[in-house]
Amino acid sequence: MPNWKKLITSGSEASLSSLLIESSSTSMELGPELNLKRDDSGVTVGDYLGRVTFENNDTHDNSFVEGADILSWAEGTWSSGSNPARLLFRTRADGGSLGSAFELSSGKAATFYGDINANNQRIINCTSITDNTLKVGSSTTDEYIDFGTDAMIKVKIDNVEDFRFTDG
């Protein structure tokens, strides 16, 4: 493989500050690719594999601020045929710092760090997770489902327990 050089583009027009990767192949098996490669034979748990950042110029002090990023790191020591990796999406709230939004483990477990919406409607409002209890919905004045550790699922409507499913 050739010794690739760093590509830096700069300018005030989109065509000067963009990177286009285009394929003219008509084959279904071929298309454009972007590869972030770490050339390290000693990857262990927690080592970063790559990161993509999304930044903009802060109008206050003219410095660049990350609005979001996507990063990946090793979930275990890499060896022949064993290459576990995790993927994390982070976003920045107004006035805040980068915080986890969504994570995907090497075992395909998805972790959401906030509410889950579909078609612009909240379908899961994760209000609290304490003592291994997950409450979905508004647990103070509204409907919610309590997935507790006491071998039961409680359903409350208008904060009144309407029914529960128990083990046994």
Side-chain angles (χ1 to χ4, degrees):
M1 176 162 265
N3 183 10
W4 296 99
K5 304 296 182 197
K6 185 186 291 187
L7 170 67
I8 300 175
T9 63
S10 178
S12 59
E13 297 177 28
S15 62
L16 298 176
S17 59
S18 299
L19 174 63
L20 172 66
I21 303 172
E22 183 176 337
S23 171
S24 60
S25 173
T26 58
S27 170
M28 289 179 54
E29 290 85 27
L30 299 175
E33 291 184 9
L34 174 64
N35 293 305
L36 304 178
K37 294 183 178 183
R38 177 185 172 137
D39 189 9
D40 180 359
S41 60
V43 172
T44 60
V45 176
D47 286 351
Y48 281 103
L49 302 175
R51 182 174 180 221
V52 177
T53 63
F54 303 88
E55 301 178 357
N56 190 50
N57 190 324
D58 184 349
T59 57
H60 172 69
D61 62 5
N62 217 23
S63 64
F64 280 85
V65 176
E66 295 175 7
D69 69 0
I70 303 169
L71 53 100
S72 177
W73 68 93
E75 276 194 322
T77 299
W78 283 33
S79 61
S80 179
S82 179
N83 312 102
R86 180 174 289 274
L87 191 62
L88 176 67
F89 291 76
R90 299 187 306 176
T91 57
R92 180 183 304 276
D94 188 17
S97 59
L98 283 177
S100 298
F102 172 73
E103 190 170 345
L104 189 60
S105 75
S106 62
K108 311 300 182 271
T111 303
F112 294 86
Y113 294 91
D115 297 338
I116 299 175
N117 300 316
N119 294 325
N120 293 322
Q121 298 293 316
R122 182 174 297 142
I123 58 172
I124 296 179
N125 177 15
C126 188
T127 58
S128 65
I129 300 177
T130 56
D131 301 323
N132 295 320
T133 297
L134 168 64
K135 292 184 178 179
V136 179
S138 176
S139 62
T140 56
T141 60
D142 210 350
E143 296 78 25
Y144 72 94
I145 302 173
D146 181 348
F147 300 92
T149 57
D150 48 4
M152 70 178 70
I153 299 173
K154 302 172 193 170
V155 178
K156 293 189 177 185
I157 299 174
D158 294 327
N159 212 30
V160 175
E161 185 174 315
D162 286 329
F163 55 91
R164 68 173 62 184
F165 304 96
T166 60
D167 183 20

